[in-house]
Amino acid sequence: MTKTIGLKRQVMIAALGAALAVLSACSAEPEPEAAASPTGAPVKEAPVTIKMMANFSTANISEADKAFFQKVEEANNVKLEFTVPPSSGYQEQLQLMMVSGDHPDVVFFPGATNTTFLNAVNGGMVIPLNSYLEKAPNIKEYSYEVSLEGLKVKQDGNIYGIPRTTIARNDHFIVRKDWLDKLGYKIPDNHEVSIDQFTEILRKFTQDDPDGNGKKDTYGFAAHLNSSKVLTPVLSSQWGYMGWQPSKGEYGYMTAEYDRSSGAYKDLLAYTQKLYKEGLLDPDSAVNDSNAALQRFKKGITGVLRGFAGHVSSNEAEMKALNPQAELTYLFVQNQDGKVQGATQGTALYGLWGITKSAKHPEKIIQVMDWLLSDEGWDYVYYGMENVDYKVENGIKVYDPNAKAPWRQSVVRRARDGDFFIAPSLPQKERDMIKPWVDKAVESVIFSQDRGYVPPASKKQAFLDYKLTWDELVTKIMIGERPVEDFDKVLADWYKHGGEEYVKEMNEFIASIQ
């Protein structure tokens, strides 16, 4: 018996006949060779064992997931053994796995810029997959091209992982429909409003007592701080902030934030400052994180929250527990040209699967992942297993609310498939309501050209130091403590503290991948 070094908890799935059991990790015995029957008829080959290290939300497998992975094994003639550390310590376990020398066949990494992943690639632990992916039509069809390109981390033409896709979306706004109804505001049939109309909604929610309690205790927008503790600007894409895009200015590629020849970012800051000064933003916006903003929205303090359309039903159900009259809808805000568009950063990866040099059968790992994305496999990934997740009654899938399968949808996702975010257990009426919003969010995405690249200039101390100054001054501009005109000097100083080098390196990178 050999133990997986440093793992606090581990789960191994092994298909034996028609059942799965959670096993302790044991040293693998050689795969038995297929034998001929006494009559000379071909005998089915023994299943190939695949050891996987995964980062799932729970370390213990549910009964529904056991049934699902048994189906995966039967369809692909494999035996899957999972090592699943607690998600809170996954990065640490990755590093311990690296130094232990005891490598699973396939490992989940958090992203293409993850240091452990890059070390694994550069050290030869993770192998290139180009030749295998040529025989994986579903992985190629249901992965964004930008995701596969983003996995060419050595810039040698080789792809070093299987994408776990995140469906790129252009999220807009969850809105209190009951407040709109009370104030007599009719929602357009296409659920799109202009910037001016959006501003007027925020104004009405702040000033016209939408909850009818006779008090001035509501606010239009649930703004909050981002991960850098900076107030998130309101309506970024609508004011032209679309990430790194082709430019006719001094550089071939530019983002509005650093564009010295455009006033788009200043317009965005000015709009946010206007809302803040007028009192249309939650007054706690400058201290709230995203979760605090969500909770204040659910309590009826604010009436508009930036969020994913697929969360409308679940948020409404939680709000009704506090206020039975609460009702939500979804609104898109057009840009200055009357279009609904929004940028997404990075490479649409929600992590990736790296195949290690220890894998004796990389082609079988690719086969399993490709099958999961096929029409047959995806039906199980999305809908689950009949008589486990649901039963069919009168031609309708009736879901068991107690059937949980957190592992199943954590392996792969289909690019451009917004239905993934719409639970099949939802009543058809709710699914029909949400689907057009989710589809529009998926279809209106524009990818930033940077692909998540971080230029070396960003790691220099002068650049890092000025980033803190930038964050402080930009926040002060948005809350009205500094005039918008001050941004010109902030930007000029940024260029002096490494920004010029940063922009040049980013342009060199983007040009190199075109």
Side-chain angles (χ1 to χ4, degrees):
M1 299 287 285
T2 61
K3 296 183 179 179
T4 304
I5 297 176
L7 297 182
K8 298 176 181 177
R9 304 177 68 186
Q10 57 184 357
V11 179
M12 304 180 72
I13 305 173
L16 299 173
L20 283 173
V22 179
L23 305 175
S24 300
C26 296
S27 56
E29 297 180 359
E31 299 288 346
E33 297 181 0
S37 71
T39 62
V43 176
K44 182 180 178 181
E45 294 182 356
V48 170
T49 296
I50 298 174
K51 296 181 179 181
M52 304 180 71
M53 179 173 176
N55 184 14
F56 296 149
S57 59
T58 61
N60 296 317
I61 188 170
S62 69
E63 293 302 314
D65 274 329
K66 284 183 185 179
F68 169 76
F69 284 108
Q70 179 180 332
K71 175 60 68 174
V72 175
E73 293 180 320
E74 292 171 351
N76 294 278
N77 194 32
V78 296
K79 181 173 66 173
L80 301 177
E81 295 180 352
F82 281 88
T83 297
V84 184
S87 58
S88 59
Y90 190 76
Q91 179 60 40
E92 175 188 354
Q93 301 307 318
L94 267 182
Q95 295 168 347
L96 290 172
M97 177 273 297
M98 284 278 293
V99 300
S100 74
D102 184 13
H103 304 145
D105 301 311
V106 58
V107 177
F108 179 80
F109 292 94
T113 60
N114 176 264
T115 301
T116 307
F117 171 65
L118 294 177
N119 290 341
V121 171
N122 293 326
M125 182 192 123
V126 169
I127 65 173
L129 303 179
N130 299 47
S131 60
Y132 301 108
L133 291 173
E134 286 300 317
K135 301 175 183 178
N138 296 302
I139 292 177
K140 290 193 290 185
E141 180 176 356
Y142 294 112
S143 298
Y144 293 101
E145 182 179 354
V146 69
S147 300
L148 293 169
E149 289 293 324
L151 288 171
K152 295 179 179 179
V153 293
K154 290 185 71 173
Q155 303 303 308
D156 59 0
N158 287 318
I159 298 170
Y160 286 91
I162 305 163
R164 185 175 77 170
T165 297
T166 180
I167 294 87
R169 312 186 308 257
N170 172 26
D171 288 341
H172 281 241
F173 304 99
I174 303 173
V175 181
R176 287 291 295 264
K177 183 179 182 299
D178 55 318
W179 286 11
L180 291 174
D181 292 344
K182 182 179 182 301
L183 299 173
Y185 191 96
K186 187 178 185 308
I187 303 170
D189 291 340
N190 63 0
H191 285 255
E192 295 180 16
V193 295
S194 67
I195 293 174
D196 287 344
Q197 290 172 322
F198 179 76
T199 308
E200 187 58 26
I201 288 172
L202 300 187
R203 194 170 285 124
K204 286 177 176 294
F205 282 0
T206 303
Q207 300 173 355
D208 293 354
D209 190 24
D211 59 359
N213 68 355
K215 301 176 182 179
K216 280 191 169 294
D217 58 357
T218 58
Y219 304 93
F221 191 70
H224 58 81
L225 303 178
N226 62 23
S227 58
S228 299
K229 306 299 182 184
V230 179
L231 185 65
T232 305
V234 184
L235 299 188
S236 295
S237 61
Q238 289 80 357
W239 290 101
Y241 185 37
M242 302 292 289
W244 289 87
Q245 302 296 342
S247 170
K248 296 180 180 179
E250 56 185 319
Y251 290 97
Y253 301 91
M254 183 52 67
T255 176
E257 192 173 14
Y258 306 136
D259 195 345
R260 292 182 289 203
S261 62
S262 167
Y265 198 70
K266 283 175 65 176
D267 291 341
L268 170 59
L269 297 180
Y271 179 72
T272 304
Q273 184 188 91
K274 170 188 172 182
L275 299 183
Y276 195 90
K277 282 185 172 181
E278 197 174 334
L280 308 186
L281 304 186
D282 184 343
D284 288 355
S285 297
V287 296
N288 284 341
D289 59 15
S290 58
N291 182 62
L294 172 61
Q295 298 309 316
R296 286 172 70 81
F297 175 75
K298 289 180 178 179
K299 292 176 182 178
I301 296 171
T302 54
V304 179
L305 175 77
R306 184 175 182 85
F308 171 48
H311 295 160
V312 168
S313 292
S314 59
N315 283 336
E316 181 177 285
E318 292 179 24
M319 294 175 76
K320 282 185 177 296
L322 300 173
N323 177 5
Q325 279 69 51
E327 187 176 357
L328 300 179
T329 189
Y330 203 75
L331 287 181
F332 294 87
V333 181
Q334 302 164 346
N335 62 21
Q336 297 172 87
D337 297 324
K339 298 179 180 178
V340 172
Q341 290 180 325
T344 186
Q345 308 294 320
T347 55
L349 286 173
Y350 192 48
L352 64 108
W353 297 97
I355 297 180
T356 74
K357 63 183 180 181
S358 299
K360 296 179 180 179
H361 297 281
E363 76 286 351
K364 292 297 288 185
I365 299 170
I366 296 290
Q367 175 187 318
V368 169
M369 297 294 185
D370 196 69
W371 181 83
L372 288 169
L373 290 169
S374 70
D375 289 344
E376 178 187 3
W378 190 251
D379 189 76
Y380 295 115
V381 172
Y382 180 64
Y383 291 104
M385 305 286 295
E386 185 174 358
N387 297 322
V388 177
D389 296 273
Y390 65 86
K391 293 183 178 180
V392 178
E393 299 179 2
N394 299 319
I396 298 174
K397 293 183 176 71
V398 179
Y399 280 81
D400 178 357
N402 297 315
K404 307 297 181 183
W407 288 20
R408 189 181 72 222
Q409 294 186 329
S410 296
V411 182
V412 292
R413 296 179 179 180
R414 277 182 163 188
R416 298 170 293 276
D417 189 347
D419 285 359
F420 176 86
F421 294 112
I422 305 174
S425 58
L426 282 177
Q428 192 62 43
K429 182 179 179 181
E430 291 187 38
R431 292 175 55 80
D432 292 342
M433 175 184 70
I434 295 170
K435 183 173 172 54
W437 303 336
V438 174
D439 288 346
K440 183 177 290 191
V442 171
E443 293 163 1
S444 60
V445 158
I446 296 176
F447 277 95
S448 174
Q449 298 293 304
D450 66 295
R451 298 186 182 175
Y453 178 68
V454 181
S458 66
K459 299 176 183 178
K460 293 187 176 181
Q461 196 59 49
F463 186 94
L464 293 171
D465 290 342
Y466 192 76
K467 176 65 166 60
L468 299 176
T469 302
W470 170 290
D471 291 345
E472 178 186 354
L473 294 177
V474 166
T475 297
K476 286 184 176 180
I477 290 172
M478 284 188 283
I479 63 176
E481 292 184 5
R482 300 284 291 266
V484 175
E485 291 70 28
D486 279 8
F487 181 72
D488 292 331
K489 185 175 187 309
V490 174
L491 183 57
D493 286 345
W494 180 81
Y495 271 91
K496 293 176 183 177
H497 288 80
E500 195 84 53
E501 187 178 0
Y502 180 98
V503 172
K504 287 179 180 178
E505 290 175 353
M506 183 65 82
N507 270 261
E508 290 170 0
F509 169 76
I510 296 175
S512 73
I513 60 176
Q514 299 306 306

